Amino acid sequence: MLRPVVQVGGKSIGDGHPFFVIAEASSNHNRDLKTALGLIDAAAAAGADAVKFQAFTADRIVARMREKHPYIQQMFPSAGSMHEVYASMELPREWLKDLKARSEERGLIFLCTPFDEEAARHLWLLAGGRERDGVLMDAAAYLDGRLDAGARARFEARLRAEAALASLVRASRSDAISPSRNSNARTT
């Protein structure tokens, strides 16, 4: 059974189409814009379709603790804390336009994973969204407790409906490929 084909940045992804390669730049820029731009250039030279960074704020994703996991201690021996490690890897928001522009110049789709509401907001605005647009801002307001009781109830109902729909889609896909229901299916 063929799976649906989706379009991402004008490229088709799915059965019968070439692989879609995402170069994971992550936070490997070391807070240096020249390095970040170089990661984009390297992704393009390698033939990637997209390049993906990570946007977070250390204060929002890691506690200020003195202890470091041994893995982090090995990777960042000079850092004083986990918070310092994450702070050293933050993607400055003022770079986003430049990173997106360089990606597009090189024929890449610019992707960035937000890890907190502020990062999601910056990326939403960069993509042309308005400050009060759609579900992203509703989700952020919901998570922050900024919705009144009626708006909160409507948002929770929308989440339940979307979860039910997703369950139905998953169930229909698993029924279609289940060996017990499809004699043509192969098992490994």
Side-chain angles (χ1 to χ4, degrees):
M1 176 176 160
L2 292 178
R3 295 186 183 166
V5 174
V6 296
Q7 296 288 319
V8 176
K11 296 187 181 217
S12 297
I13 302 172
D15 290 342
H17 294 278
F19 288 105
F20 187 83
V21 177
I22 301 172
E24 179 63 61
S26 187
S27 295
N28 293 308
H29 48 73
N30 301 323
R31 290 187 63 94
D32 178 74
L33 180 58
K34 186 176 178 181
T35 300
L37 295 171
L39 291 169
I40 294 168
D41 295 341
D49 296 293
V51 61
K52 186 174 83 64
F53 289 85
Q54 295 178 353
F56 55 81
T57 305
D59 286 340
R60 295 175 186 253
I61 65 168
V62 66
R64 290 182 181 262
M65 298 171 49
R66 293 177 194 247
E67 301 85 30
K68 280 194 292 189
H69 188 279
Y71 167 76
I72 298 296
Q73 179 63 40
Q74 285 180 324
M75 290 182 63
F76 304 96
S78 63
S81 70
M82 289 294 291
H83 186 274
E84 289 176 19
V85 169
Y86 279 86
S88 74
M89 296 187 300
E90 289 178 0
L91 178 71
R93 303 301 186 260
E94 60 271 13
W95 294 2
L96 289 171
K97 284 184 183 179
D98 293 334
L99 297 177
K100 183 176 186 290
R102 175 65 70 89
S103 298
E104 290 170 353
E105 288 168 12
R106 300 294 190 262
L108 298 171
I109 296 169
F110 175 75
L111 303 172
C112 188
T113 303
F115 283 77
D116 57 59
E117 178 188 343
E118 177 201 2
R121 184 181 150 281
H122 276 85
L123 291 165
W124 182 252
L125 295 174
L126 179 68
R130 295 183 311 262
E131 193 70 47
R132 307 256 327 142
D133 268 351
V135 70
L136 177 67
M137 294 299 105
D138 288 349
Y142 176 82
L143 293 171
D144 277 357
R146 291 182 279 131
L147 294 180
D148 64 40
R152 187 175 189 83
R154 286 188 302 277
F155 186 75
E156 288 172 350
R158 183 169 63 195
L159 289 177
R160 284 191 301 276
E162 289 174 5
L165 178 60
S167 293
L168 288 172
V169 168
R170 277 194 304 275
S172 69
R173 286 183 182 160
S174 65
D175 285 349
I177 62 171
S178 171
S180 63
R181 297 181 188 217
N182 183 347
S183 62
N184 296 324
R186 293 183 296 175
T187 59
T188 56

